[in-house]
Amino acid sequence: MFYLITISLIALLSARLYWEPSTGGNKVLCVVLGSGGHTAEMVRLMHGIDFERYTKRLYIVSESDALSANQIAEIERPLMSDYSQEYVVGRVPRSRQVGQSLVSALISAVRCLAATAWLLQSHLPDIVLCNGPGNCVIVCVLVMVLRVLGVKRIPIVHVESFARVRSLSLSGKIAYYLADRFIVQWSGLQQKYPRAEYIPNLV
Amino acid sequence: MTSVYVTVGSTGFDELVRAVSTKAFLLALSQRGFTQLTVQYGSSTDAFRPPPSAKDQHGIRIDSFDYTDRPLQYIEQAGLVICHAGTGSILETLHSQRPAIVVVNGRLMDNHQREIAEELAGREFVVCAEPEELVQCIEEEKYRELKTYPRADPQPIGEILDEEML
């Protein structure tokens, strides 16, 4: 396990060596996809994004999630143009399974961490968009590691799920402290979490 | 618009699927002028047992399948959608401007699905019901007086990304 953590760290650090700032409009957008409902919302959110600016998209998807793979094609088809056809689907092992023992949960979390670190260092996104699946906590933490190590400052935009009316999800509670912009879709949440921005009818 | 579409999303929901395959439910549908029932039952295969005899189906044509990649084609044809409280199904139904009865699965842990269903019901965008209340819901036709849900505008997300990239 320590071996895997060390590899992730080396991977993240090595990214520093060959990173060059992306110029002009060519930005890499990292989108974290999870299961069912989160993905359905993300598909809708993506319609607000200009793909001619974010010319490359990196989708981080859980290996166990077959639906998301189809939905990525669905997101991409209507939005891509001649200039913005590049997208990458990075699959990572599931971070947490229902009914897993603590030890095996820890091992899967580390495997997920290593795979996510590898993806982030290979594609070095300019910005991360996530909306609450378990994976996004791991992505946010790694983005913070990159920031602390001085490799690259990648802003995180978190949109809490439409399904969350009165309380944040567990990943939302963590992302609240890590994200640069934290958006909620119901006004009651903004009263509880003052740093959150309230924007209704996004999805 | 004389058809009803029932959807349980990507998992299963035995109580809902069972409730829409009863004689009482089919009778209520036919009394309210519906002629077609389409059921997406997910993994609740065994729970879907509509009455075999035509007499007990009260003139309702019944179609069913486990999953579909194209839920919108069924939602848009329906005069009424009865769905589980998953975000995907709720949003598709609201944006198709179809009346919806949302049924919360009480068995789910950490039930925030109830939050969203009740919030939307409080604002009269959907009717929220338990499986055993469905017959009564159809009889009372409350779903006919729902408000139209506002169109979605995801543009602010694009603007927030752009601001962060400055």
Side-chain angles (χ1 to χ4, degrees):
Chain A
M1 190 189 295
F2 288 107
Y3 176 67
L4 280 169
I5 294 178
T6 319
I7 292 201
S8 345
L9 270 176
I10 293 173
L12 289 177
L13 268 173
S14 69
R16 190 174 188 175
L17 298 177
Y18 52 88
W19 174 59
E20 285 167 29
S22 40
T23 49
N26 298 327
K27 302 289 184 196
V28 182
L29 166 66
C30 171
V31 179
V32 188
L33 293 181
S35 52
H38 291 296
T39 305
E41 282 190 57
M42 189 57 90
V43 171
R44 294 172 181 278
L45 289 175
M46 296 293 286
H47 283 269
I49 294 167
D50 179 6
F51 276 23
E52 298 208 357
R53 178 149 200 215
Y54 302 92
T55 47
K56 179 174 162 184
R57 277 81 54 199
L58 164 65
Y59 294 94
I60 297 186
V61 190
S62 185
E63 251 168 18
S64 57
D65 191 7
L67 268 179
S68 287
N70 303 334
Q71 273 159 321
I72 292 167
E74 233 173 89
I75 299 174
E76 287 284 334
R77 212 176 304 123
L79 297 174
M80 61 166 43
S81 69
D82 294 347
Y83 308 101
S84 60
Q85 287 186 349
E86 198 185 350
Y87 73 94
V88 180
V89 179
R91 299 199 155 265
V92 294
R94 208 186 160 122
S95 58
R96 183 171 60 119
Q97 257 140 17
V98 182
Q100 237 178 348
S101 77
L102 189 66
V103 176
S104 86
L106 211 63
I107 293 173
S108 3
V110 172
R111 284 181 58 217
C112 178
L113 190 78
T116 311
W118 179 255
L119 279 173
L120 286 177
Q121 71 85 25
S122 322
H123 300 281
L124 272 182
D126 293 292
I127 190 158
V128 170
L129 176 62
C130 57
N131 72 341
N135 282 349
C136 74
V137 173
I138 286 177
V139 174
C140 290
V141 167
L142 287 169
V143 163
M144 286 300 151
V145 172
L146 285 171
R147 200 177 288 186
V148 170
L149 292 178
V151 176
K152 185 175 183 181
R153 190 190 173 281
I154 305 172
I156 300 169
V157 176
H158 180 98
V159 183
E160 186 65 359
S161 167
F162 174 72
R164 288 294 175 163
V165 181
R166 291 190 283 269
S167 61
L168 295 183
S169 59
L170 179 60
S171 50
K173 281 175 190 155
I174 299 170
Y176 182 68
Y177 295 101
L178 301 179
D180 297 271
R181 304 288 288 267
F182 190 88
I183 289 102
V184 293
Q185 305 189 52
W186 295 98
S187 59
L189 283 177
Q190 195 193 26
Q191 286 153 19
K192 276 193 204 166
Y193 297 92
R195 214 171 65 77
E197 296 169 61
Y198 163 55
I199 311 179
N201 303 324
L202 280 173
V203 295
Chain B
M1 289 302 146
T2 58
S3 70
V4 173
Y5 179 54
V6 178
T7 177
V8 307
S10 56
T11 52
F13 189 173
D14 289 355
E15 291 83 354
L16 172 57
V17 168
R18 211 171 284 134
V20 299
S21 44
T22 58
K23 283 187 247 176
F25 180 77
L26 295 172
L27 175 63
L29 288 189
S30 80
Q31 284 172 343
R32 290 287 168 262
F34 292 106
T35 58
Q36 163 86 39
L37 171 66
T38 308
V39 180
Q40 181 263 317
Y41 51 76
S43 61
S44 295
T45 319
D46 295 334
F48 187 64
R49 290 277 177 267
S53 82
K55 180 177 148 284
D56 291 338
Q57 292 179 2
H58 301 285
I60 304 285
R61 260 178 300 124
I62 302 173
D63 282 332
S64 63
F65 46 84
D66 53 358
Y67 298 104
T68 172
D69 283 344
R70 301 250 161 272
L72 271 184
Q73 83 181 52
Y74 296 98
I75 291 171
E76 283 169 358
Q77 280 170 18
L80 170 65
V81 177
I82 300 176
C83 65
H84 77 130
T87 323
S89 299
I90 291 180
L91 287 173
E92 277 157 0
T93 309
L94 288 175
H95 290 304
S96 302
Q97 303 190 349
R98 290 292 172 269
I101 300 177
V102 177
V103 184
V104 177
N105 190 345
R107 285 180 185 224
L108 294 179
M109 294 291 171
D110 178 25
N111 209 332
H112 61 271
Q113 289 199 342
R114 189 171 295 282
E115 275 182 34
I116 185 71
E118 286 175 356
E119 184 71 30
L120 290 169
R123 292 165 189 243
E124 295 176 47
F125 292 126
V126 304
V127 173
C128 182
E130 302 296 324
E132 56 275 13
E133 294 169 339
L134 280 177
V135 171
Q136 193 192 343
C137 266
I138 301 288
E139 285 169 349
E140 290 175 357
E141 293 189 299
K142 274 192 209 142
Y143 52 87
R144 294 207 190 273
E145 290 139 37
L146 293 171
K147 292 180 183 152
T148 308
Y149 193 74
R151 272 178 68 95
D153 177 17
Q155 216 62 47
I157 288 303
E159 287 160 16
I160 285 172
L161 292 188
D162 292 350
E163 282 165 26
E164 287 303 306
M165 291 311 311
L166 289 178

